[in-house]
Short mmCIF file of all heavy atoms in Angstrom, two decimals:
data_model
loop_
_atom_site.label_atom_id
_atom_site.label_comp_id
_atom_site.label_asym_id
_atom_site.label_seq_id
_atom_site.Cartn_x
_atom_site.Cartn_y
_atom_site.Cartn_z
N HIS M 18 -9.01 -8.70 2.69
CA HIS M 18 -9.52 -10.07 2.12
C HIS M 18 -10.41 -10.70 3.21
O HIS M 18 -11.50 -11.25 2.89
CB HIS M 18 -8.41 -11.01 1.83
CG HIS M 18 -7.58 -10.54 0.70
ND1 HIS M 18 -8.19 -10.01 -0.39
CD2 HIS M 18 -6.28 -10.69 0.46
CE1 HIS M 18 -7.28 -9.75 -1.34
NE2 HIS M 18 -6.05 -10.23 -0.83
N GLU M 19 -10.05 -10.52 4.47
CA GLU M 19 -10.87 -11.16 5.59
C GLU M 19 -12.25 -10.54 5.61
O GLU M 19 -13.27 -11.25 5.76
CB GLU M 19 -10.19 -10.93 6.94
CG GLU M 19 -10.93 -11.66 8.07
CD GLU M 19 -10.30 -11.26 9.42
OE1 GLU M 19 -9.52 -10.32 9.55
OE2 GLU M 19 -10.66 -12.00 10.41
N VAL M 20 -12.35 -9.20 5.49
CA VAL M 20 -13.59 -8.55 5.46
C VAL M 20 -14.54 -9.15 4.28
O VAL M 20 -15.74 -9.44 4.51
CB VAL M 20 -13.49 -7.10 5.39
CG1 VAL M 20 -14.85 -6.35 5.06
CG2 VAL M 20 -12.86 -6.45 6.58
N GLY M 21 -13.98 -9.28 3.20
CA GLY M 21 -14.68 -9.82 2.08
C GLY M 21 -15.19 -11.24 2.32
O GLY M 21 -16.38 -11.54 2.03
N ASP M 22 -14.26 -12.07 2.86
CA ASP M 22 -14.70 -13.36 3.18
C ASP M 22 -15.81 -13.50 4.29
O ASP M 22 -16.69 -14.24 4.14
CB ASP M 22 -13.44 -14.14 3.75
CG ASP M 22 -12.42 -14.32 2.75
OD1 ASP M 22 -12.68 -14.33 1.48
OD2 ASP M 22 -11.20 -14.63 3.05
N ILE M 23 -15.82 -12.58 5.20
CA ILE M 23 -16.84 -12.55 6.25
C ILE M 23 -18.18 -12.17 5.65
O ILE M 23 -19.19 -12.78 5.90
CB ILE M 23 -16.50 -11.54 7.44
CG1 ILE M 23 -15.29 -12.11 8.22
CG2 ILE M 23 -17.64 -11.29 8.32
CD1 ILE M 23 -14.72 -11.06 9.20
N LEU M 24 -18.11 -11.22 4.77
CA LEU M 24 -19.32 -10.66 4.17
C LEU M 24 -19.93 -11.91 3.30
O LEU M 24 -21.11 -12.13 3.21
CB LEU M 24 -19.18 -9.45 3.44
CG LEU M 24 -18.83 -8.20 4.21
CD1 LEU M 24 -18.46 -7.07 3.32
CD2 LEU M 24 -19.96 -7.87 5.16
N GLN M 25 -19.11 -12.52 2.53
CA GLN M 25 -19.49 -13.59 1.62
C GLN M 25 -20.01 -14.85 2.34
O GLN M 25 -20.68 -15.66 1.68
CB GLN M 25 -18.53 -13.87 0.57
CG GLN M 25 -18.38 -12.71 -0.48
CD GLN M 25 -17.48 -13.06 -1.64
OE1 GLN M 25 -16.53 -13.76 -1.46
NE2 GLN M 25 -17.72 -12.60 -2.88
N SER M 26 -19.61 -15.04 3.55
CA SER M 26 -19.93 -16.16 4.33
C SER M 26 -21.39 -16.15 4.86
O SER M 26 -21.89 -17.20 5.36
CB SER M 26 -18.98 -16.41 5.58
OG SER M 26 -19.25 -15.38 6.47
N GLY M 27 -22.00 -15.02 4.74
CA GLY M 27 -23.47 -14.85 5.14
C GLY M 27 -24.42 -15.36 4.04
O GLY M 27 -24.01 -15.76 2.95
N SER M 28 -25.67 -15.22 4.45
CA SER M 28 -26.68 -15.73 3.48
C SER M 28 -27.08 -14.67 2.40
O SER M 28 -27.70 -14.99 1.44
CB SER M 28 -27.99 -16.09 4.26
OG SER M 28 -28.50 -14.96 5.04
N VAL M 29 -26.69 -13.41 2.64
CA VAL M 29 -27.01 -12.36 1.63
C VAL M 29 -25.75 -12.31 0.62
O VAL M 29 -24.67 -12.25 0.97
CB VAL M 29 -27.11 -10.98 2.32
CG1 VAL M 29 -27.27 -9.93 1.27
CG2 VAL M 29 -28.25 -10.99 3.35
N PRO M 30 -26.20 -12.48 -0.70
CA PRO M 30 -25.10 -12.44 -1.76
C PRO M 30 -24.34 -11.19 -1.72
O PRO M 30 -24.84 -10.07 -1.68
CB PRO M 30 -25.93 -12.57 -2.98
CG PRO M 30 -27.22 -13.13 -2.63
CD PRO M 30 -27.58 -12.64 -1.19
N THR M 31 -23.02 -11.31 -1.60
CA THR M 31 -22.10 -10.17 -1.59
C THR M 31 -21.17 -10.19 -2.82
O THR M 31 -20.54 -11.13 -3.09
CB THR M 31 -21.28 -10.32 -0.28
OG1 THR M 31 -22.05 -10.25 0.87
CG2 THR M 31 -20.21 -9.12 -0.21
N THR M 32 -21.12 -9.00 -3.38
CA THR M 32 -20.25 -8.77 -4.56
C THR M 32 -19.00 -8.08 -3.97
O THR M 32 -19.11 -7.09 -3.35
CB THR M 32 -20.82 -7.85 -5.57
OG1 THR M 32 -22.11 -8.44 -6.04
CG2 THR M 32 -19.91 -7.61 -6.69
N VAL M 33 -17.85 -8.66 -4.22
CA VAL M 33 -16.58 -8.12 -3.69
C VAL M 33 -15.78 -7.61 -4.95
O VAL M 33 -15.52 -8.32 -5.89
CB VAL M 33 -15.72 -9.18 -3.01
CG1 VAL M 33 -14.33 -8.58 -2.59
CG2 VAL M 33 -16.49 -9.65 -1.71
N LEU M 34 -15.40 -6.37 -4.85
CA LEU M 34 -14.58 -5.74 -5.91
C LEU M 34 -13.23 -5.41 -5.27
O LEU M 34 -13.15 -4.79 -4.21
CB LEU M 34 -15.10 -4.43 -6.48
CG LEU M 34 -16.55 -4.55 -7.07
CD1 LEU M 34 -17.01 -3.15 -7.53
CD2 LEU M 34 -16.59 -5.47 -8.27
N ARG M 35 -12.19 -5.86 -5.86
CA ARG M 35 -10.80 -5.74 -5.32
C ARG M 35 -9.93 -4.85 -6.23
O ARG M 35 -9.79 -5.11 -7.48
CB ARG M 35 -10.16 -7.08 -5.14
CG ARG M 35 -10.99 -8.11 -4.38
CD ARG M 35 -10.28 -9.30 -3.91
NE ARG M 35 -9.60 -10.12 -4.98
CZ ARG M 35 -8.96 -11.17 -4.84
NH1 ARG M 35 -8.73 -11.68 -3.60
NH2 ARG M 35 -8.38 -11.68 -5.85
N ALA M 36 -9.56 -3.68 -5.66
CA ALA M 36 -8.70 -2.77 -6.42
C ALA M 36 -7.38 -2.57 -5.76
O ALA M 36 -7.19 -2.77 -4.58
CB ALA M 36 -9.59 -1.38 -6.48
N ALA M 37 -6.41 -2.08 -6.58
CA ALA M 37 -5.09 -1.61 -6.11
C ALA M 37 -5.15 -0.15 -5.86
O ALA M 37 -6.12 0.40 -5.36
CB ALA M 37 -4.02 -2.02 -7.13
N MET M 38 -4.12 0.56 -6.20
CA MET M 38 -4.03 1.95 -6.03
C MET M 38 -5.20 2.67 -6.79
O MET M 38 -5.32 2.43 -8.03
CB MET M 38 -2.66 2.44 -6.41
CG MET M 38 -2.48 4.04 -6.36
SD MET M 38 -0.97 4.53 -6.99
CE MET M 38 -1.01 6.31 -6.76
N ILE M 39 -5.89 3.57 -6.16
CA ILE M 39 -6.91 4.36 -6.82
C ILE M 39 -6.31 5.77 -7.16
O ILE M 39 -5.84 6.52 -6.24
CB ILE M 39 -8.12 4.51 -5.94
CG1 ILE M 39 -8.75 3.16 -5.61
CG2 ILE M 39 -9.23 5.39 -6.56
CD1 ILE M 39 -9.92 3.08 -4.78
N ILE M 40 -6.37 6.12 -8.44
CA ILE M 40 -5.77 7.38 -8.85
C ILE M 40 -7.02 8.36 -8.95
O ILE M 40 -7.89 8.14 -9.79
CB ILE M 40 -5.10 7.31 -10.26
CG1 ILE M 40 -3.93 6.30 -10.14
CG2 ILE M 40 -4.59 8.73 -10.61
CD1 ILE M 40 -3.15 6.14 -11.45
N GLY M 41 -6.95 9.38 -8.09
CA GLY M 41 -8.05 10.36 -8.10
C GLY M 41 -7.74 11.53 -7.19
O GLY M 41 -6.91 11.28 -6.18
N SER M 42 -8.11 12.69 -7.42
CA SER M 42 -7.80 13.80 -6.58
C SER M 42 -8.28 13.55 -5.21
O SER M 42 -9.50 13.13 -4.93
CB SER M 42 -8.50 15.08 -7.21
OG SER M 42 -9.87 14.91 -7.29
N GLY M 43 -7.47 13.74 -4.21
CA GLY M 43 -7.90 13.46 -2.84
C GLY M 43 -7.62 12.16 -2.29
O GLY M 43 -7.73 12.04 -1.07
N SER M 44 -7.39 11.24 -3.07
CA SER M 44 -7.05 9.77 -2.47
C SER M 44 -5.81 9.82 -1.79
O SER M 44 -4.87 10.56 -2.16
CB SER M 44 -7.17 8.69 -3.57
OG SER M 44 -5.91 8.68 -4.24
N ALA M 45 -5.65 9.02 -0.74
CA ALA M 45 -4.42 8.94 0.05
C ALA M 45 -3.25 8.54 -0.78
O ALA M 45 -2.13 9.12 -0.74
CB ALA M 45 -4.64 8.08 1.27
N SER M 46 -3.43 7.57 -1.66
CA SER M 46 -2.42 7.04 -2.53
C SER M 46 -1.84 8.10 -3.49
O SER M 46 -0.68 8.34 -3.73
CB SER M 46 -2.90 5.80 -3.23
OG SER M 46 -3.33 4.78 -2.44
N PHE M 47 -2.91 8.82 -3.97
CA PHE M 47 -2.47 9.95 -5.04
C PHE M 47 -1.80 11.04 -4.33
O PHE M 47 -0.87 11.65 -4.86
CB PHE M 47 -3.79 10.30 -5.80
CG PHE M 47 -3.44 11.40 -6.84
CD1 PHE M 47 -2.77 10.90 -8.05
CD2 PHE M 47 -3.63 12.74 -6.69
CE1 PHE M 47 -2.52 11.96 -8.97
CE2 PHE M 47 -3.29 13.66 -7.68
CZ PHE M 47 -2.71 13.30 -8.82
N GLU M 48 -2.26 11.32 -3.06
CA GLU M 48 -1.61 12.49 -2.34
C GLU M 48 -0.18 12.08 -1.97
O GLU M 48 0.72 13.04 -2.07
CB GLU M 48 -2.36 12.72 -0.99
CG GLU M 48 -3.72 13.45 -1.27
CD GLU M 48 -3.53 14.81 -1.94
OE1 GLU M 48 -3.13 15.80 -1.14
OE2 GLU M 48 -3.66 15.00 -3.17
N ILE M 49 0.10 10.89 -1.64
CA ILE M 49 1.48 10.37 -1.48
C ILE M 49 2.37 10.62 -2.70
O ILE M 49 3.43 11.15 -2.66
CB ILE M 49 1.53 8.93 -0.96
CG1 ILE M 49 0.98 8.88 0.43
CG2 ILE M 49 2.97 8.39 -0.95
CD1 ILE M 49 0.83 7.45 0.95
N LEU M 50 1.77 10.08 -3.83
CA LEU M 50 2.50 10.17 -5.14
C LEU M 50 2.81 11.76 -5.43
O LEU M 50 3.81 12.16 -5.79
CB LEU M 50 1.65 9.63 -6.19
CG LEU M 50 2.26 9.71 -7.62
CD1 LEU M 50 3.56 8.99 -7.73
CD2 LEU M 50 1.19 9.19 -8.67
N ARG M 51 1.70 12.50 -5.27
CA ARG M 51 1.81 13.96 -5.61
C ARG M 51 2.90 14.66 -4.84
O ARG M 51 3.79 15.38 -5.41
CB ARG M 51 0.45 14.59 -5.41
CG ARG M 51 0.47 16.17 -5.75
CD ARG M 51 -0.94 16.61 -5.94
NE ARG M 51 -1.67 16.81 -4.68
CZ ARG M 51 -1.77 18.02 -4.19
NH1 ARG M 51 -1.29 19.06 -4.66
NH2 ARG M 51 -2.47 18.15 -3.06
N TYR M 52 2.91 14.48 -3.57
CA TYR M 52 3.85 15.28 -2.74
C TYR M 52 5.27 14.78 -2.87
O TYR M 52 6.19 15.55 -2.81
CB TYR M 52 3.44 15.27 -1.23
CG TYR M 52 2.40 16.22 -0.86
CD1 TYR M 52 1.04 16.16 -1.11
CD2 TYR M 52 2.82 17.46 -0.39
CE1 TYR M 52 0.12 17.04 -0.84
CE2 TYR M 52 1.86 18.46 0.07
CZ TYR M 52 0.51 18.32 -0.37
OH TYR M 52 -0.37 19.27 -0.01
N LEU M 53 5.48 13.43 -3.03
CA LEU M 53 6.71 12.86 -3.28
C LEU M 53 7.37 13.45 -4.55
O LEU M 53 8.55 13.89 -4.54
CB LEU M 53 6.67 11.29 -3.28
CG LEU M 53 6.54 10.61 -2.02
CD1 LEU M 53 6.36 9.09 -2.17
CD2 LEU M 53 7.63 10.92 -0.92
N VAL M 54 6.57 13.45 -5.59
CA VAL M 54 7.24 13.89 -6.84
C VAL M 54 7.43 15.41 -6.79
O VAL M 54 8.35 15.86 -7.30
CB VAL M 54 6.21 13.44 -8.04
CG1 VAL M 54 6.77 14.02 -9.43
CG2 VAL M 54 6.05 11.94 -8.05
N GLU M 55 6.47 16.20 -6.28
CA GLU M 55 6.51 17.52 -6.38
C GLU M 55 7.68 18.13 -5.44
O GLU M 55 8.28 19.24 -5.68
CB GLU M 55 5.26 18.28 -5.92
CG GLU M 55 4.23 18.10 -7.08
CD GLU M 55 2.97 18.79 -6.79
OE1 GLU M 55 2.87 19.34 -5.66
OE2 GLU M 55 2.07 18.76 -7.62
N ARG M 56 8.07 17.47 -4.39
CA ARG M 56 9.04 17.86 -3.36
C ARG M 56 10.41 17.34 -3.54
O ARG M 56 11.34 17.83 -3.12
CB ARG M 56 8.49 17.60 -1.99
CG ARG M 56 7.31 18.48 -1.56
CD ARG M 56 6.79 18.16 -0.18
NE ARG M 56 5.58 18.85 0.16
CZ ARG M 56 5.53 20.04 0.64
NH1 ARG M 56 6.69 20.61 1.01
NH2 ARG M 56 4.40 20.65 0.92
#
């Protein structure tokens, strides 16, 4: 959140997208899920 606030405090308009867990092959969150369930 702090990084987004810093970027938006400047004069250049900043679009901030905020996401939770990203499900996709190779993502750290998905790899944790995959190995926990499989093992």
Side-chain angles (χ1 to χ4, degrees):
H18 290 327
E19 182 186 19
V20 169
D22 291 341
I23 290 172
L24 294 174
Q25 287 189 324
S26 68
S28 61
V29 175
T31 297
T32 302
V33 174
L34 300 179
R35 306 194 304 181
M38 175 183 179
I39 296 175
I40 301 179
S42 58
S44 81
S46 299
F47 185 74
E48 287 297 286
I49 290 174
L50 175 67
R51 180 163 76 100
Y52 276 82
L53 287 177
V54 178
E55 291 184 355
R56 292 177 182 270

